[in-house]
Amino acid sequence: EAGVTQSPTHLIKTRGQQVTLRCSPISGHTSVYWYQQALGLGLQFLLWYDEGEERNRGNFPPRFSGRQFPNYSSELNVNALELEDSALYLCASSQGQVNTEAFFGQGTRLTVV
Amino acid sequence: TQLLEQSPQFLSIQEGENLTVYCNSSSVFSSLQWYRQEPGEGPVLLVTVVTGGEVKKLKRLTFQFGDARKDSSLHITAAQPGDTGLYLCAGRLGSARQLTFGSGTQLTVLP
């Protein structure tokens, strides 16, 4: 069974540009979570989608947004990129019930220059 | 303020030694998970603990969830170079579905 897959694996963007990252959850998982792992800052929660709806978001500005599609895959969009947005962006998926385990993809390394 | 404090932040030991990593909070977690992450890759789930006082063993790794569900520990017996990596604890606060992560413990096991 395929795990969580993310694309692209690496990306280089210029400050001010926009970027879209993609995530396909494990089959049968309805929840998708996005995290940012910047150097020295640990994993910070960005967004949680379940059944196509945004359920919660972390302490990030509105230029971080996303959506979840009917097949439960998800996109993370970041507008007006800043140098500090350089990080590993991780997607995780889980089943819909509370306290179910979350499994991560390999991440997308975004570098903003 | 970090909700989950992990210690130590860095640990370098010789092959064969034992070690313990701690994850502490002033908040109660409904569940807690331990992950191991290699450079440039996503975290890999090691274990989930849900019940206060719960102990789980995974080969040479022993995980414990505190009675009050505010703390956890990871003990590795006879560490091997293959255990090298970033160990992360992550918990769910109350009814929250997203995980709150600790800052991580970078473990290096020298041959």
Side-chain angles (χ1 to χ4, degrees):
Chain A
E1 180 181 315
V4 178
T5 57
Q6 292 186 242
S7 63
T9 55
H10 296 82
L11 204 52
I12 300 176
K13 289 286 188 178
T14 304
R15 192 172 52 182
Q17 284 187 315
Q18 177 265 342
V19 69
T20 298
L21 311 180
R22 294 176 176 82
C23 171
S24 291
I26 292 172
S27 177
H29 287 189
T30 62
S31 280
V32 170
Y33 309 82
W34 287 95
Y35 291 85
Q36 181 196 66
Q37 188 176 28
L39 197 61
L41 290 180
L43 275 85
Q44 304 293 322
F45 167 68
L46 271 165
L47 291 158
W48 166 36
Y49 292 93
D50 185 61
E51 297 286 358
E53 300 284 333
E54 181 181 305
R55 302 296 183 179
N56 203 358
R57 67 179 292 130
N59 189 25
F60 281 84
R63 56 191 187 83
F64 287 83
S65 65
R67 54 180 173 168
Q68 186 179 33
F69 299 96
N71 66 353
Y72 303 115
S73 66
S74 176
E75 285 183 351
L76 173 68
N77 299 293
V78 187
N79 294 321
L81 284 166
E82 300 178 1
L83 297 179
E84 308 81 72
D85 297 334
S86 294
L88 182 67
Y89 287 85
L90 292 160
C91 170
S93 75
S94 73
Q95 294 179 335
Q97 296 83 3
V98 176
N99 280 340
T100 56
E101 296 170 329
F103 297 90
F104 282 83
Q106 82 282 8
T108 294
R109 171 67 65 185
L110 172 65
T111 302
V112 182
V113 297
Chain B
T1 302
Q2 192 80 15
L3 284 175
L4 267 178
E5 297 286 345
Q6 260 187 264
S7 63
Q9 190 176 356
F10 298 95
L11 191 54
S12 181
I13 61 172
Q14 294 293 135
E15 182 176 1
E17 292 183 354
N18 302 332
L19 67 112
T20 302
V21 176
Y22 299 93
C23 180
N24 295 295
S25 175
S26 58
S27 303
V28 176
F29 289 92
S30 57
S31 67
L32 194 136
Q33 301 179 358
W34 285 91
Y35 292 84
R36 179 166 161 262
Q37 186 178 23
E38 302 279 359
E41 298 183 8
V44 175
L45 180 65
L46 297 174
V47 78
T48 298
V49 285
V50 178
T51 306
E54 185 175 3
V55 177
K56 282 191 174 180
K57 292 191 175 184
L58 184 66
K59 297 183 180 178
R60 292 176 295 101
L61 279 60
T62 301
F63 304 86
Q64 187 163 5
F65 201 15
D67 291 340
R69 307 208 312 274
K70 293 183 179 181
D71 57 271
S72 181
S73 64
L74 157 61
H75 182 78
I76 301 179
T77 303
Q80 299 177 359
D83 295 328
T84 293
L86 179 66
Y87 288 81
L88 296 158
C89 65
R92 285 195 171 94
L93 279 166
S95 60
R97 292 287 298 279
Q98 72 272 10
L99 291 168
T100 297
F101 277 83
S103 52
T105 294
Q106 181 61 53
L107 172 65
T108 302
V109 182
L110 303 169

